[in-house]
Amino acid sequence: MRENKGPLARDLLGWVIDRRQILIKLGAFAITSPALASCGEDDGTTDDPSSGSTGSAGGAGGGTGSASSSASASGSASASSSSAGTGGVGEGGAGMGVAGGDDSLNLDPSIFEDAGRCALTTTDIEGPFFIDDSEIPNDISLFRSDIRDGHPGCELQLYFRLLDAEDGCQPIPDAEVYIWHCDADGYYSGFDGQDPSTPYSGPGERTVENDERFCRGVQLSDRNGVVGFRTIWPGWYAGRPVHVHLVARLNGATTRLITTQFYFDAELSRKIYESEPAYTARSTNIPQSSLNPPGFGNPAMPTMAYTPGLVIGKLNVIVNG
């Protein structure tokens, strides 16, 4: 069982990130973290058991169209109990931490240094279950770091660094990065009429009366292009590999920098489904097609590390800014 260290620090982190987003939106926030972003020259291969392959991400709620962009890096997506704390929220080491007295969040860009060469992240479709943060009057704000909304599941901490391939892979600050995915049982928030055991056909219709927004959130990238989220490992549903959606756009813009999805190693997903309590009831009949990442193209796959109860993923998202 994972030793429970620093719950206060982890709760404080969520408060700091959310407060930071409000201040940025008001134009009253200055980030003091050093800008250290860079792209490696090699292919990112490493013998570290916590390393994996990085993929792509996307951005903010809303906007039209999708751009070709994002990051890729090679490695083997695997689990490691000895290194899963590295880079984690409140876990110490080379990870993210709360900076000094100005309540700013020090999202350390050095944790992405093993993310490989500067190559565009593979784009992907938006999918049927997108909800724009601004399209529903009086809806809750999706600008938040903790998107669990009390739903059970293995904690998943995700960190993305948004980089501009057209500018030598320099970081892109002040961009909205929006992620969304299904819960442990395979359901998306905000939509009725779902059946995770049957492949979906056609676009989903948002249910106006359904005000659930679990597993959805937006963050603004800091001066290093970095954002972080706390969520749960997504469940599976028939017809699709396990995945998380991501779109990105510059704050206030309508054109997206990228629209994509990222995927996970099949054996890591299987291990989580078979060992974590929130997933075990559905772990005996998982279609292999729901576990395997797409077998074509170059799907975006974050570097992952896993210990019981916690998964940490990091991914460079490289776009044509």
Side-chain angles (χ1 to χ4, degrees):
M1 178 176 294
R2 180 171 59 92
E3 185 178 356
N4 187 8
K5 294 183 179 179
L8 179 60
R10 295 166 73 150
D11 292 342
L12 175 62
L13 174 67
W15 177 85
V16 169
I17 295 178
D18 293 335
R19 184 173 186 269
R20 172 178 175 275
Q21 302 305 319
I22 295 171
L23 293 174
I24 289 177
K25 278 294 196 182
L26 293 175
F29 189 82
I31 302 173
T32 58
S33 303
L36 302 175
S38 63
C39 289
E41 297 300 324
D42 58 22
D43 63 0
T45 303
T46 174
D47 292 329
D48 185 340
S50 69
S51 69
S53 56
T54 57
S56 17
T64 58
S66 64
S68 66
S69 25
S70 215
S72 66
S74 62
S76 79
S78 60
S80 168
S81 61
S82 63
S83 59
T86 301
V89 178
E91 299 293 326
M96 322 301 188
V98 177
D102 63 353
D103 290 332
S104 63
L105 180 66
N106 178 22
L107 295 171
D108 184 359
S110 67
I111 69 162
F112 296 92
E113 289 179 355
D114 64 348
R117 61 193 177 87
C118 184
L120 291 178
T121 300
T122 303
T123 59
D124 210 326
I125 62 172
E126 177 187 282
F129 297 114
F130 174 74
I131 296 177
D132 193 318
D133 181 56
S134 62
E135 73 175 332
I136 310 172
N138 303 317
D139 195 28
I140 69 165
S141 174
L142 294 179
F143 279 86
R144 56 194 186 149
S145 62
D146 190 332
I147 62 176
R148 295 173 292 182
D149 286 357
H151 277 244
C154 180
E155 181 173 342
L156 172 61
Q157 296 174 5
L158 291 169
Y159 301 101
F160 305 103
R161 182 172 62 165
L162 192 62
L163 303 175
D164 186 354
E166 294 185 337
D167 189 23
C169 266
Q170 291 300 303
I172 302 177
D174 198 31
E176 298 176 1
V177 178
Y178 179 9
I179 67 169
W180 72 100
H181 60 84
C182 66
D183 67 3
D185 292 321
Y187 291 94
Y188 284 90
S189 61
F191 293 79
D192 291 338
Q194 301 175 61
D195 181 2
S197 65
T198 303
Y200 298 124
S201 59
E205 291 189 17
R206 183 177 57 79
T207 309
V208 177
E209 301 79 21
N210 188 330
D211 60 359
E212 294 180 317
R213 297 294 180 264
F214 58 82
C215 301
R216 297 180 183 273
V218 184
Q219 289 281 278
L220 288 177
S221 58
D222 65 15
R223 67 180 296 177
N224 299 306
V226 177
V227 297
F229 294 91
R230 179 181 292 132
T231 184
I232 59 173
W233 187 266
W236 64 271
Y237 59 88
R240 288 299 319 282
V242 181
H243 63 281
V244 172
H245 298 263
L246 188 153
V247 298
R249 70 181 179 191
L250 294 177
N251 187 20
T254 56
T255 302
R256 296 179 183 176
L257 295 167
I258 188 170
T259 301
T260 192
Q261 302 176 37
F262 55 92
Y263 304 89
F264 308 100
D265 176 75
E267 289 310 308
L268 176 58
S269 294
R270 185 186 300 279
K271 183 174 183 179
I272 292 170
Y273 292 151
E274 292 179 349
S275 60
E276 297 289 340
Y279 310 90
T280 53
R282 303 180 68 229
S283 65
T284 58
N285 60 343
I286 308 175
Q288 191 61 38
S289 60
S290 294
L291 292 174
N292 291 334
F296 55 88
N298 184 29
M301 295 180 65
T303 298
M304 308 300 298
Y306 170 60
T307 53
L310 175 64
V311 187
I312 296 171
K314 55 185 179 180
L315 177 68
N316 275 339
V317 179
I318 303 178
V319 307
N320 281 324

